[in-house]
């Protein structure tokens, strides 16, 4: 039976990276790149916000047209969103600078930006930043993309696929404006495993719906969101396709990796003190199970109650009832950290102090059983704290 192993974060074979402080912000790394020795098969999913930022729109066009990339250049501090024709020109210029430096075609260079919306990129600083980048094995790039995040979000897995050791390294950023289809989040997973581009895209499109699209911090969807997968094939395994026997295992590996990155983003929500995981069982359809789970972790009333360690299950029930999903209210069961508080739509005697104490832990589990059918859905969010308001009241000032 195939298994994967978690290891200290490192880049797979054939990838190098770097990051520098280009002075886009006061004292943090803010410009970086990731480079593959050879063109890599590429797949992506992107924000559904109608104000799609120039770099995100460019990345989408490149991947949909060529299905491959060799380099990614990234910056924080400035989103390059709502910047019109100038924003598009700036993306093209970034591509050109990187392409010239690496002696590759500009169409192989993807651009990702995150930060303040409605501000033009300071291109003189970007030029100096890109010029200073080197091809190293450091992982500073994972820091350079952070904005209000409090920590990096990384995960590295290794697995033997068709007799070859393959490494899968994922990293992400995201803390606020998180309510994907997508959110102000960026996610990247790169591997040396040989995987066909259409296989990568099929997996990512399907898995995003149950991973990154099932997290929420504040209900807001950003302009710059993207998740990108690269596979350069330098592990020299036979190419994984949708029909190969290795495909189910590779898909499950990506499911685990993307889920863990998504949970890291939810846990690090702006001002958050705990992760909330909602599981909905017994739904009529998987989509309805996911809708209800995400509604629960997205409810401000539920989030505030979890911050206050308040076992007020009425907020959960009312949130479930506000959806358009099909279920019988008199069959619904709710548990908080495995302690039953509602059965068949009615209250169950429980120790409020015991449940309140359990809600102080770093992860809160809300389990709902609709007892309608057999479908299951999960979602992840965080509590709503005073610090969330403080952070977002002064974001641009």
């Amino acid at each position: 039976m195939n298994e994967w192993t978690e290891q200290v974060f490192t880049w797979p074979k054939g990838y190098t990276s770097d990051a520098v402080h280009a002075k886009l912000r006061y004292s943090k790394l803010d410009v970086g790149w990731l480079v593959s020795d050879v063109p890599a098969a590429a797949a992506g999913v992107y924000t559904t916000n109608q104000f799609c930022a120039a770099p995100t729109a460019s990345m989408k066009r490149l991947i949909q047209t060529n299905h491959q990339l060799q380099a990614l250049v990234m910056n924080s501090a400035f989103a390059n969103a709502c910047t019109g024709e100038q924003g598009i020109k700036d993306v093209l210029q970034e591509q050109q600078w990187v392409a010239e430096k690496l002696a590759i075609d500009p169409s192989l260079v993807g651009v990702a930006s995150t930060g303040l919306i409605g501000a033009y990129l300071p291109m003189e600083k970007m030029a100096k930043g890109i010029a200073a980048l080197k091809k190293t094995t450091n992982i500073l790039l994972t820091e350079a993309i952070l904005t209000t995040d409090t920590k990096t979000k990384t995960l590295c897995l290794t697995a033997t696929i068709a007799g070859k050791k393959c490494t899968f390294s994922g990293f992400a950023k995201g803390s606020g404006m998180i309510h994907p289809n997508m959110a102000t989040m960026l996610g990247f997973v790169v591997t040396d495993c040989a995987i066909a581009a259409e296989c990568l895209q099929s997996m990512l499109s399907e898995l995003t719906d149950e991973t990154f699209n099932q997290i929420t911090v504040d209900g807001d969807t950003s302009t710059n969101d993207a998740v990108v997968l690269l596979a350069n094939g330098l592990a020299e395994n036979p190419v994984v396709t949708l029909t190969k026997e290795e495909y189910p295992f590779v898909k499950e590996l990506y499911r685990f990796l993307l889920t863990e990155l998504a949970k890291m983003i939810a846990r690090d929500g702006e001002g958050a003190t705990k992760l909330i995981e909602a599981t909905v069982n017994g739904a009529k359809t998987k989509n309805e199970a996911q809708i209800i789970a995400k509604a629960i972790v997205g409810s401000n009333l539920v989030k505030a109650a979890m911050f206050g360690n308040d076992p007020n299950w009425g907020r959960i029930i009312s949130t479930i009832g506000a959806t358009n999903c099909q279920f019988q209210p008199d069959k619904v069961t709710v548990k908080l950290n495995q302690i039953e508080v509602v059965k068949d739509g009615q209250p169950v005697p429980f120790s409020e102090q015991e449940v309140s104490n359990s809600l102080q832990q770093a992860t809160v589990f809300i389990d709902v059983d609709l007892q309608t059918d057999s479908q299951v859905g999960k979602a992840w969010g965080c509590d709503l704290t005073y610090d969330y308001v403080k952070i977002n009241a002064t974001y641009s000032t």
Side-chain angles (χ1 to χ4, degrees):
M1 178 179 173
N2 285 338
E3 295 181 350
W4 55 77
T5 303
E6 184 174 344
Q7 68 168 51
V8 175
F9 191 87
T10 186
W11 298 121
K13 188 181 299 183
Y15 292 95
T16 51
S17 73
D18 196 16
V20 297
H21 177 220
K23 299 183 180 179
L24 303 187
R25 50 186 180 176
Y26 292 114
S27 59
K28 298 180 180 179
L29 298 171
D30 47 30
V31 173
W33 71 0
L34 180 66
V35 180
S36 173
D37 290 346
V38 298
V45 291
Y46 319 91
T47 183
T48 57
N49 193 303
Q50 294 186 66
F51 286 99
C52 183
T56 311
S58 171
M59 184 96 76
K60 183 177 182 179
R61 283 193 301 271
L62 287 178
I63 292 178
Q64 289 183 340
T65 301
N66 302 322
H67 311 294
Q68 62 177 1
L69 292 173
Q70 192 168 349
L72 294 166
V73 61
M74 310 175 193
N75 74 274
S76 53
F78 294 88
N80 193 10
C82 299
T83 47
E85 288 297 320
Q86 185 59 51
I88 297 171
K89 290 178 180 178
D90 290 344
V91 170
L92 292 172
Q93 181 64 75
E94 290 179 84
Q95 289 178 286
Q96 189 63 40
W97 284 333
V98 172
E100 289 175 356
K101 184 164 182 169
L102 296 174
I104 62 176
D105 193 277
S107 66
L108 291 172
V109 181
V111 178
S113 299
T114 184
L116 185 65
I117 294 171
Y120 296 107
L121 279 177
M123 293 304 286
E124 288 187 9
K125 293 180 179 179
M126 286 298 300
K128 291 179 181 178
I130 291 173
L133 293 173
K134 299 176 182 178
K135 295 171 69 174
T136 77
T137 57
N138 73 49
I139 60 170
L140 297 176
L141 175 62
T142 63
E143 300 177 26
I145 61 172
L146 305 182
T147 50
T148 56
D149 309 62
T150 65
K151 62 190 73 174
T152 59
K153 300 161 181 69
T154 63
L155 183 61
C156 184
L157 306 176
T158 58
T160 300
I161 298 172
K164 300 291 185 179
K165 180 183 177 181
C166 300
T167 301
F168 298 78
S169 299
F171 63 106
K173 67 82 54 181
S175 190
M177 277 184 99
I178 302 292
H179 189 71
N181 280 326
M182 305 287 301
T184 183
M185 54 148 287
L186 296 173
F188 305 93
V189 180
V190 299
T191 183
D192 48 19
C193 184
I195 307 174
E198 65 271 15
C199 183
L200 272 182
Q201 189 63 61
S202 176
M203 284 191 296
L204 180 60
S205 296
E206 178 183 343
L207 296 177
T208 298
D209 282 341
E210 56 189 85
T211 57
F212 288 111
N213 281 348
Q214 284 299 104
I215 61 174
T216 185
V217 168
D218 50 21
D220 285 316
T221 300
S222 181
T223 55
N224 289 60
D225 316 320
V227 178
V228 174
L229 307 185
L230 298 182
N232 68 12
L234 292 181
E236 299 182 339
N237 61 291
V239 178
V240 177
T241 68
L242 292 168
T243 59
K244 289 290 183 67
E245 64 177 338
E246 295 83 11
Y247 170 71
F249 170 73
V250 172
K251 182 178 177 181
E252 286 309 304
L253 185 152
Y254 274 108
R255 187 194 307 276
F256 175 80
L257 205 161
L258 296 177
T259 298
E260 292 305 303
L261 288 177
K263 289 163 66 174
M264 290 178 200
I265 291 173
R267 186 183 295 276
D268 194 33
E270 289 173 338
T273 66
K274 63 190 71 171
L275 175 71
I276 305 171
E277 178 176 296
T279 302
V280 175
N281 289 282
K284 188 174 183 61
T285 67
K286 184 175 183 62
N287 183 55
E288 290 197 344
Q290 290 179 316
I291 287 172
I292 293 174
K294 193 168 182 180
I296 292 169
V297 298
S299 163
N300 282 341
L301 289 177
V302 173
K303 290 156 65 70
M306 296 304 100
F307 172 58
N309 308 315
D310 182 6
N312 186 350
W313 56 262
R315 295 179 172 183
I316 298 170
I317 288 291
S318 62
T319 297
I320 297 170
T323 70
N324 292 320
C325 299
Q326 300 179 58
F327 62 90
Q328 294 296 320
D330 60 0
K331 292 185 177 181
V332 175
T333 295
V334 178
K335 294 180 180 179
L336 293 175
N337 289 334
Q338 295 304 309
I339 301 172
E340 192 171 62
V341 295
V342 177
K343 184 175 182 179
D344 296 330
Q346 297 184 51
V348 173
F350 64 90
S351 166
E352 290 194 3
Q353 190 60 56
E354 178 187 3
V355 178
S356 180
N357 290 343
S358 81
L359 294 179
Q360 297 178 34
Q361 63 194 40
T363 303
V364 171
F365 298 95
I366 300 175
D367 290 281
V368 174
D369 192 344
L370 302 178
Q371 301 190 76
T372 298
D373 210 312
S374 60
Q375 297 301 305
V376 180
K378 285 182 178 288
W380 300 272
C382 61
D383 55 346
L384 180 61
T385 72
Y386 306 121
D387 282 344
Y388 176 84
V389 176
K390 181 179 179 180
I391 292 166
N392 284 283
T394 58
Y395 188 85
S396 67
T397 54

